[in-house]
Amino acid sequence: MNDRLPIRRPTIAAVAASAGVSKATVSRYFNHEQLLTPDIAARVKKAIEELDYAPSPMAQALSRGRSRLIGLIVADITNPYSVAVLRGAEKACQEAGYLVMLFNLGNAIGREREAIDALAGYQVDGFILNTLGRGAGVMEALARNGKPAVLVDRRHAGMTADFVALDSADAMVAACEHLVGNGYRELMYVTEPKKGVSSRRERATAFSKYVSSHATRVAGQVFEHSEESESLLEDAMRALILRAKAAKDGRRAAVISGNAVVTLRIASMAAKCHWAFGADLGFLGFDDPEWASLIAPGLSAIAQPTDAIGRTAATCLIDRLHGEEAPPRQILLPGQLVVRGSSSARAGRTQ
Amino acid sequence: MNDRLPIRRPTIAAVAASAGVSKATVSRYFNHEQLLTPDIAARVKKAIEELDYAPSPMAQALSRGRSRLIGLIVADITNPYSVAVLRGAEKACQEAGYLVMLFNLGNAIGREREAIDALAGYQVDGFILNTLGRGAGVMEALARNGKPAVLVDRRHAGMTADFVALDSADAMVAACEHLVGNGYRELMYVTEPKKGVSSRRERATAFSKYVSSHATRVAGQVFEHSEESESLLEDAMRALILRAKAAKDGRRAAVISGNAVVTLRIASMAAKCHWAFGADLGFLGFDDPEWASLIAPGLSAIAQPTDAIGRTAATCLIDRLHGEEAPPRQILLPGQLVVRGSSSARAGRTQ
DNA sequence: TTGTACGCGTTATCAA
DNA sequence: TTGATAACGCGTACAA
């Protein structure tokens, strides 16, 4: 039952023969039906149905130069953010009749070129990129293949392409104002190593800017946390808490996390050190993972509109494919502040 | 700078012309280099490098009938399990020189056929399926396209294909023995609606079997939990706890969760009702999400070897593509019991 | 060993 | 309006 080798789907030639017309006529039935005599069209239609014929997208791609394929390159599919975006993008693509070819970099920077070329080989019509962005070969590879791209979350310096992301600066201000409004004045922003990643840089910058423009009331520092600096982070947080206590003016300490990965680290550290969020330590994190409400007393968060980001990226790209010629767009989507117990105004539990 | 339209990558004809040979010779350079004179091979090589030529996989696919593409159909990309498997599979595919075309069903059963046909249109060489499995058109569509497939996690009744999944029965026994060994004798297994999903059925069956074969010491029930039955579940859990207390023989109550989605529900319910895991209520869940250790006092779990499952599925499929003709295999991978505080022997916190 | 010519399944040009 | 025919970019019998 599984003789899988020589099974061939019917071709346009078979339909043409069966309908007693030429291949060109069958092709026209799909692409320019208006040009066909009703009588002929009906015959072709019948043959198509009898044979259960469907055009081969591959052959179409070869002939037309367009494939209805979209290449999606993602820095790290382990990252829930990437997956959430992927989901929105894939859905929008499907709805527009495009299929997604996926390439996961697995955080292997430097494979960006390889990925672009591999996907371009299959004639993908365009790219959605969520990559590390050392930028090196990327621009060149994109240009060489002459295909449009839209960047997600991470923009490449000097690359002129559509860009979709969270409005980090706006979100950071909202986060800071919320915390400060609730009495947290000793702030620390913890981010993964900024390196070249634009979203990380922009959030850190927005944080620093907020702090310096409210220097009279608020103190703040940026902490770059990498896998190895676990104990350094613990020390920094401990110091932060002590500083707030030492101030004697009732100010409280709070940590802002740059993304869900960092949030996970901080939450497990807090559990280990028996720091109570919302009491000893305020907390608010970028990204709103499903488990945020489960960590007592609930982790406050900036929820990213990941689905909309993915969807926007896809439709934006597809617009380009349909001939949209506008200059590169920068689409920043607003985050949503989700308040839970970890950033409460008064110490203690907040269901 | 973004004149993306008429950029054409060099073709085999261009290389042939540049090297002063025929297209066939260039083709042979890639596919049968042994047949070439060193001198000629060198000339071809030079031309290839100068033009930065790479064969078009699309055209190759059309010509050979094989595309080095693998279609991956997933029931619901929102499910972390699916993503984890996807990750392993995509990696293995990449390493073997295959690219993945992704199709997410978004839990829309009935789109399976559509997905298979869409992917088959692009000449994917084979399928990796993690779908709902009403089975209806699936077998037919697969047969019609004559392409091999490997099933992941969910097997289709009557479909003879390779199958890769967690060894659910074995894992369930391990889970039960662990709980019973720690004094939990009043058990409840909570699963999403079993419907046609084989993995859910198998786990429930294994649970029932364990309970009935230890009926003298252990009581157990299966609870099918759907989105709407939130309050029913709460009632059931409350009753479970009371039953254990009422028994007066020191037996304790424990819940086993069928997957991470259910775990999330139960954890938030426990928080709401102020049930303390490991004290009032034992807990152990299938799937070991990253946040399992953060829920006090740590959620015990059966960790699935998701990466290995994905990787195994992919290599298994690729073996078939390379001519492997063995009868359909059933590959069951062992889960790993991760013990944390939620299933501790004595009440109280267990770091 | 190398080249010629045809096929893979479409679309598009140009006559008819 | 419809039908040959030539691309599209590549592999491969077959001939040289």
Side-chain angles (χ1 to χ4, degrees):
Chain A
M1 189 192 278
N2 221 351
D3 39 330
R4 65 174 178 274
L5 280 181
I7 296 185
R8 282 198 146 65
R9 318 226 342 103
T11 73
I12 198 172
V15 176
S18 161
V21 297
S22 75
K23 295 192 299 177
T25 301
V26 179
S27 176
R28 274 189 273 264
Y29 176 81
F30 286 102
N31 306 305
H32 313 280
E33 185 172 0
Q34 342 104 23
L35 303 184
L36 288 192
T37 302
D39 170 40
I40 285 258
R43 266 164 52 203
V44 171
K45 179 175 189 211
K46 180 154 172 270
I48 289 174
E49 284 167 355
E50 279 174 355
L51 296 180
D52 189 27
Y53 166 78
S56 155
M58 270 244 156
Q60 288 182 317
L62 189 63
S63 182
R64 306 175 147 145
R66 296 171 284 121
S67 64
R68 299 196 78 78
L69 247 28
I70 285 182
L72 180 30
I73 303 181
V74 68
D76 175 19
I77 204 171
T78 294
N79 185 330
Y81 171 84
S82 296
V83 175
V85 169
L86 161 61
R87 193 170 74 95
E90 203 261 357
K91 191 169 177 199
C93 287
Q94 262 188 47
E95 286 168 0
Y98 285 78
L99 248 33
V100 167
M101 293 192 59
L102 178 67
F103 199 110
N104 176 33
L105 258 30
N107 268 332
I109 194 173
R111 297 192 59 196
E112 292 174 305
R113 273 193 53 157
E114 182 187 337
I116 292 178
D117 286 337
L119 259 18
Y122 283 95
Q123 300 278 29
V124 295
D125 292 338
F127 291 95
I128 297 178
L129 300 177
N130 171 216
T131 74
L132 294 174
R134 278 323 217 201
V138 175
M139 272 189 61
E140 184 269 333
L142 242 28
R144 175 155 39 80
N145 291 291
K147 300 192 182 303
V150 44
L151 274 25
V152 172
D153 189 59
R154 303 165 175 200
R155 78 183 91 200
H156 296 234
M159 182 187 295
T160 70
D162 292 325
F163 173 71
V164 181
L166 170 73
D167 188 339
S168 286
D170 185 74
M172 181 58 88
V173 170
C176 289
E177 287 185 340
H178 167 66
L179 287 173
V180 171
N182 277 0
Y184 300 94
R185 305 260 159 93
E186 197 70 50
L187 269 29
M188 180 162 82
Y189 176 62
V190 183
T191 175
E192 292 187 283
K194 292 198 289 271
K195 297 192 181 155
V197 182
S198 66
S199 51
R200 294 180 191 161
R201 273 203 325 266
E202 287 165 15
R203 285 173 201 171
T205 302
F207 175 80
S208 300
K209 189 175 155 200
Y210 179 92
V211 169
S212 60
S213 65
H214 296 72
T216 51
R217 304 159 55 214
V218 179
Q221 64 173 310
V222 174
F223 186 94
E224 281 199 37
H225 169 60
S226 62
E227 307 248 355
E228 309 80 34
S229 62
E230 202 76 20
S231 63
L232 288 182
L233 176 59
E234 187 176 327
D235 294 343
M237 289 181 58
R238 209 178 294 281
L240 181 78
I241 296 174
L242 290 179
R243 259 203 312 280
K245 278 219 173 69
K248 300 261 185 204
D249 59 355
R251 67 199 306 162
R252 302 161 71 200
V255 171
I256 302 177
S257 151
N259 66 23
V261 175
V262 173
T263 297
L264 199 62
R265 288 276 165 70
I266 293 180
S268 65
M269 185 173 295
K272 194 189 73 175
C273 300
H274 299 98
W275 293 326
F277 284 134
D280 305 320
L281 185 64
F283 178 89
L284 190 154
F286 276 68
D287 290 343
D288 186 28
E290 53 184 7
W291 43 268
S293 60
L294 292 182
I295 310 296
L299 300 183
S300 297
I302 297 285
Q304 292 201 48
T306 51
D307 204 78
I309 290 176
R311 162 172 251 87
T312 303
T315 55
C316 182
L317 177 59
I318 291 172
D319 283 352
R320 291 267 179 222
L321 296 178
H322 291 357
E324 173 75 49
E325 281 291 358
R329 287 170 285 188
Q330 303 250 343
I331 306 183
L332 299 183
L333 270 29
Q336 194 191 342
L337 176 64
V338 180
V339 177
R340 300 197 180 89
S342 70
S343 61
S344 65
R346 285 296 100 219
R349 47 185 316 155
T350 305
Q351 167 49 326
Chain B
M1 188 193 279
N2 220 350
D3 40 332
R4 64 172 179 274
L5 281 180
I7 296 186
R8 282 199 145 64
R9 314 221 351 99
T11 74
I12 197 172
V15 176
S18 162
V21 299
S22 74
K23 295 192 298 179
T25 300
V26 179
S27 175
R28 275 191 273 263
Y29 176 81
F30 286 102
N31 306 304
H32 312 281
E33 184 172 1
Q34 343 104 25
L35 302 185
L36 290 192
T37 303
D39 170 39
I40 284 259
R43 266 164 52 203
V44 172
K45 181 175 188 210
K46 180 153 172 272
I48 289 174
E49 284 166 354
E50 279 174 356
L51 296 179
D52 188 27
Y53 167 79
S56 154
M58 270 244 158
Q60 287 182 318
L62 192 62
S63 181
R64 310 176 141 140
R66 297 172 284 120
S67 63
R68 298 195 80 78
L69 247 29
I70 285 183
L72 180 29
I73 304 182
V74 69
D76 174 20
I77 204 173
T78 293
N79 187 330
Y81 172 85
S82 296
V83 175
V85 169
L86 161 61
R87 193 171 73 93
E90 203 261 357
K91 190 167 177 203
C93 286
Q94 262 188 47
E95 286 168 0
Y98 285 78
L99 248 33
V100 167
M101 293 193 58
L102 178 68
F103 199 111
N104 175 35
L105 259 30
N107 267 331
I109 194 173
R111 297 192 60 197
E112 293 174 305
R113 273 192 54 156
E114 182 188 338
I116 292 178
D117 286 336
L119 259 18
Y122 283 95
Q123 301 277 31
V124 296
D125 292 339
F127 290 96
I128 297 178
L129 301 176
N130 169 217
T131 74
L132 294 173
R134 278 321 217 204
V138 175
M139 272 189 60
E140 184 268 332
L142 242 27
R144 176 156 38 82
N145 291 291
K147 297 187 184 306
V150 44
L151 274 26
V152 171
D153 188 59
R154 303 166 175 197
R155 76 182 93 199
H156 295 234
M159 182 187 294
T160 69
D162 292 324
F163 173 70
V164 180
L166 170 73
D167 188 338
S168 286
D170 184 74
M172 182 57 89
V173 170
C176 289
E177 287 184 341
H178 166 67
L179 287 173
V180 171
N182 276 2
Y184 301 94
R185 305 259 158 95
E186 197 71 48
L187 267 29
M188 179 162 84
Y189 176 62
V190 183
T191 175
E192 292 188 284
K194 291 197 289 270
K195 297 194 180 151
V197 182
S198 65
S199 52
R200 294 179 190 162
R201 275 203 323 266
E202 287 166 15
R203 285 173 202 172
T205 303
F207 175 81
S208 299
K209 190 174 155 199
Y210 179 91
V211 169
S212 61
S213 66
H214 296 72
T216 51
R217 304 160 54 216
V218 180
Q221 64 173 311
V222 174
F223 187 94
E224 281 199 37
H225 169 61
S226 62
E227 307 248 357
E228 309 80 35
S229 62
E230 201 76 18
S231 64
L232 288 181
L233 176 57
E234 187 176 328
D235 295 343
M237 289 180 58
R238 207 178 297 279
L240 180 79
I241 296 174
L242 290 178
R243 259 201 313 279
K245 278 219 173 71
K248 302 261 186 203
D249 59 355
R251 69 198 306 161
R252 302 161 73 200
V255 172
I256 302 176
S257 152
N259 65 24
V261 175
V262 174
T263 297
L264 198 62
R265 290 274 164 70
I266 294 180
S268 65
M269 185 173 296
K272 193 189 74 174
C273 301
H274 300 100
W275 294 325
F277 285 134
D280 306 320
L281 185 64
F283 178 89
L284 190 154
F286 277 68
D287 291 341
D288 186 27
E290 52 183 6
W291 43 268
S293 60
L294 292 182
I295 311 295
L299 300 183
S300 298
I302 298 284
Q304 292 202 49
T306 51
D307 205 78
I309 289 176
R311 160 173 253 87
T312 303
T315 55
C316 183
L317 177 58
I318 291 171
D319 283 351
R320 291 268 180 220
L321 297 178
H322 291 358
E324 173 74 50
E325 281 291 359
R329 287 170 284 187
Q330 303 250 344
I331 307 183
L332 298 184
L333 271 27
Q336 193 192 342
L337 176 64
V338 180
V339 176
R340 300 197 180 89
S342 71
S343 62
S344 65
R346 285 294 102 218
R349 46 185 319 154
T350 304
Q351 167 50 335

